[in-house]
Amino acid sequence: MASEDIAKLAESLAKTTVGGGQLSFKDRALKLDTAGDAEAVIKEIEECDDLEVLSLEGNTVGVEAAKVIAKALEKKSELKRCHWGDMFTGRLRSEIPPALISLGDAVITAGAQLVELDLSDNAFGPDGVRGFEALLKSPSCYTLQELKLNNCGMGIGGGKILAAALKEGHRKSSAQGKPLALKIFVAGRNRLENDGATALAEAFGIIGTLEEVHMPQNGINHPGITALAQAFAINPLLKVINLNDNTFTEKGGVAMAETLKVLRQVEVINFGDCLVRSKGAVAIADAVKEGLHKLKELNLSFCEIKRDAALIVAEAIEDKAELEKLDLNGNCLGEEGCEQVQEIIEGFNMAAVLGPLSDDEGDEENRDREDEDEEEEEEEEEEQQQLKERGQGEQELLTSKKIIDSQDSSPVPSPPVDIATFLAFPSPEKLLRLGPKCPVLIAQQTDISDVEKVVTTLLRVSSLFKDDAAVKTAVQDTTDALMRKAFTSATFNSDAFVTSLLIHMGLLKSEEKIKAVPSLYGILMTLNHMVQQDYFPKSLVPVLLAFVTKPNRAFESCSVARHVFLQTLHQL
């Protein structure tokens, strides 16, 4: 290592927290590639007597460094808690499994009995689960109580591998008379979808000791939700159920409500942004009214719940003395409905419990047609699920049926979209409807002499980025046209641009109050494309690298995108 690197590492290690069997290198931004890089870290580990908690979050550990750190851990039999989240920033995905295997094998060799394993915010994907699969099955995890894998990009495949490992660990531990008694499971933002969730539900049903389950933003629809509900019913100690931002629909809502009727310890229910709709909300309200006397929080926000159903939910909390929060925001109550909900809650002397209703969608008159659309949507979803099980044989029949059905009604043409309307209220559908001229039109109508307008336009377009090929291409083509025009202009201030962009991303503080974008996923993936284009100034790469490498809460919901972008920046 160069002398300046050693000095920098020494300075970081001087901030290391040591004491009470705990050793923390959290957020030191250490870059540990080789065995030499890790020498000081190893020394701290070796000198920490009775090491129980090791925190490595917020650093980046390579394969060789992981091997020597693992060697030091082989003698730490008292280790109980591994806080190993966000420790592979900028690494190739292929580097992560061998690093995890080395560390896991060391824990097994030491004979440690883990209580907590936290690998959150490591973008290791399905293959990464293989890296700690053996550890989960080993005697070192028979005592595991908390497993945290938030934001790891496991996908369906990773979810299935994880479920199998948990089942095997439970089987082997039970054979020794001390069955795995997992209490807390966290796996939000992992794209588990129905198949991954169903596999994990089977494991949960076998374990039966869960107290908290956090699985928000996983693309789970009602078949997966129903499987989870059935598993939760045989976990009687459940206190916290967080399935925020999945898609229950009424079927999932009703299935989950049936489970809530048999649970007695539930304190937190977070089904926000889950589209339980009115029927699901009424079923959940019935479950709340019948029991759940320990309930502290009920979140049914942004679920397309209409007024009458919301009133039933409000009435259901009458005798819930422990309740601290009821969230019904973003539903379809209308002004009168909001007032009625408030009156009911105030009548119970629980006004402080009700959250704001400022984002209510309003009570439209034409809800009957909406109900029909919802039913058709669920029927189509069920048909697709059945087709998946039956195979391709019936696909042609269904396709023919849909063609015949579609002939019964005339298509409604989409209204025209102009650039101003699109930029004011951007959506993937509007972007695609603008057609192939969209990139040129947006570039022409954006005043590149105004850096703020360029940044705003870029953020609005990039917010639409998603894996859909057509949308992704449209976003990239549009940003290319806009930024090529900007960067090739002699009057465009690139430094002012990147400063403004970082402020809007929440990565750089500003004297002015500027609200950061709610999610960095789209802009990170768009920047990942932009920096590889010939128009992008290479002088800006080190600036972006410095700010994206630095730990920031804004990255919590998009660690996979951050990892991909950092990997690209390191290669430039």
Side-chain angles (χ1 to χ4, degrees), residues 104-338:
D105 287 349
V107 173
I108 296 171
T109 300
Q113 300 287 295
L114 296 186
V115 173
E116 179 184 4
L117 177 61
D118 187 351
L119 293 169
S120 298
D121 301 313
N122 287 312
F124 47 58
D127 292 340
V129 184
R130 295 287 188 195
F132 59 95
E133 179 185 17
L135 176 61
L136 286 180
K137 295 178 181 178
S138 75
S140 288
C141 280
Y142 291 175
T143 50
L144 195 65
Q145 296 179 15
E146 303 178 27
L147 179 58
K148 301 174 181 178
L149 300 167
N150 202 53
N151 217 19
C152 292
M154 290 190 291
I156 294 172
K160 289 182 176 180
I161 296 168
L162 176 61
L166 288 173
K167 289 190 290 184
E168 179 68 6
H170 185 273
R171 184 190 67 78
K172 292 168 69 176
S173 60
S174 297
Q176 293 194 10
K178 45 182 180 181
L180 171 65
L182 192 65
K183 294 181 179 180
I184 298 175
F185 180 82
V186 181
R189 306 187 188 104
N190 270 291
R191 302 178 186 176
L192 294 170
E193 301 182 17
N194 288 334
D195 290 348
T198 300
L200 286 167
E202 186 177 342
F204 296 162
I206 293 171
I207 293 170
T209 56
L210 288 168
E211 295 181 11
E212 295 185 22
V213 175
H214 302 263
M215 296 174 65
Q217 296 181 16
N218 268 299
I220 309 170
N221 299 324
H222 75 80
I225 295 297
T226 300
L228 288 171
Q230 293 168 348
F232 292 165
I234 44 182
N235 279 265
L237 302 177
L238 263 177
K239 296 179 181 179
V240 178
I241 305 175
N242 176 8
L243 295 174
N244 188 284
D245 200 7
N246 288 292
T247 308
F248 282 42
T249 67
E250 295 174 353
K251 292 181 180 179
V254 171
M256 196 60 70
E258 290 302 309
T259 286
L260 292 175
K261 290 179 181 179
V262 302
L263 297 176
R264 296 288 178 267
Q265 306 300 321
V266 175
E267 297 178 2
V268 177
I269 298 172
N270 187 345
F271 297 160
D273 204 11
C274 283
L275 296 183
V276 301
R277 297 185 174 134
S278 294
K279 185 176 179 180
V282 169
I284 291 169
D286 289 342
V288 170
K289 190 171 185 177
E290 289 180 17
L292 302 182
H293 297 294
K294 296 183 179 182
L295 189 64
K296 294 181 180 179
E297 179 179 336
L298 176 59
N299 184 348
L300 293 175
S301 61
F302 299 93
C303 281
E304 294 189 1
I305 300 169
K306 290 182 280 188
R307 181 182 62 181
D308 291 346
L311 296 179
I312 293 173
V313 173
E315 290 169 351
I317 69 165
E318 180 177 5
D319 63 345
K320 300 297 173 277
E322 302 294 322
L323 193 68
E324 298 172 0
K325 181 180 179 182
L326 171 64
D327 193 345
L328 289 171
N329 200 16
N331 286 299
C332 309
L333 282 61
E335 185 175 347
E336 182 180 351
C338 289

Side-chain angles (χ1 to χ4, degrees), residues 50 69 221 235 382 437 439 497 507 518 539-540:
D50 301 322
I69 291 173
N221 299 324
N235 279 265
E382 189 168 341
K437 293 184 179 179
F497 165 78
L507 305 182
S539 61
L540 298 183

Side-chain angles (χ1 to χ4, degrees), residues 53-66:
V53 184
L54 177 60
S55 299
L56 294 173
E57 308 106 305
N59 300 289
T60 177
V61 182
V63 176
E64 294 306 314

